[in-house]
Amino acid sequence: AIKRRLQQIDAVEQVVVDLSATAIVDHTVLSKLEDMRRDWSTEGRDLKITGLENHSGTSSHPLSCHRRNKTAS
């Protein structure tokens, strides 16, 4: 759903995707967002991914599944 919404945005130069309200962000979502961020960059656009500050990765890989820390609300 997020991929479709982002693909519909043509004239916007910068979009922020805030993941702070999510409990879990799967590795496939992070991978696709990173691919889109890179593609947007080559088009002179900026896709910012924020909100993972209170999440922990399930491995050391930066695109691994992230779960919100229990102390974060």
Side-chain angles (χ1 to χ4, degrees):
I2 191 169
K3 179 181 174 184
R4 255 182 277 127
R5 300 266 325 241
L6 290 172
Q7 288 175 331
Q8 293 172 348
I9 302 172
D10 289 332
V12 178
E13 290 184 19
Q14 182 181 42
V15 171
V16 177
V17 177
D18 183 359
L19 301 172
S20 61
T22 60
I24 298 173
V25 182
D26 185 73
H27 72 281
T28 57
V29 172
L30 289 173
S31 179
K32 183 51 72 178
L33 285 172
E34 180 58 24
D35 289 346
M36 291 180 76
R37 186 197 63 75
R38 214 174 17 255
D39 292 345
W40 280 38
S41 180
T42 61
E43 298 169 3
R45 300 167 70 196
D46 189 21
L47 177 64
K48 291 189 182 289
I49 304 161
T50 65
L52 291 176
E53 299 81 14
N54 292 318
H55 290 67
S56 296
T58 56
S59 77
S60 61
H61 192 281
L63 299 179
S64 68
C65 178
H66 280 64
R67 297 174 193 248
R68 186 171 51 219
N69 300 329
K70 292 184 185 217
T71 56
S73 52

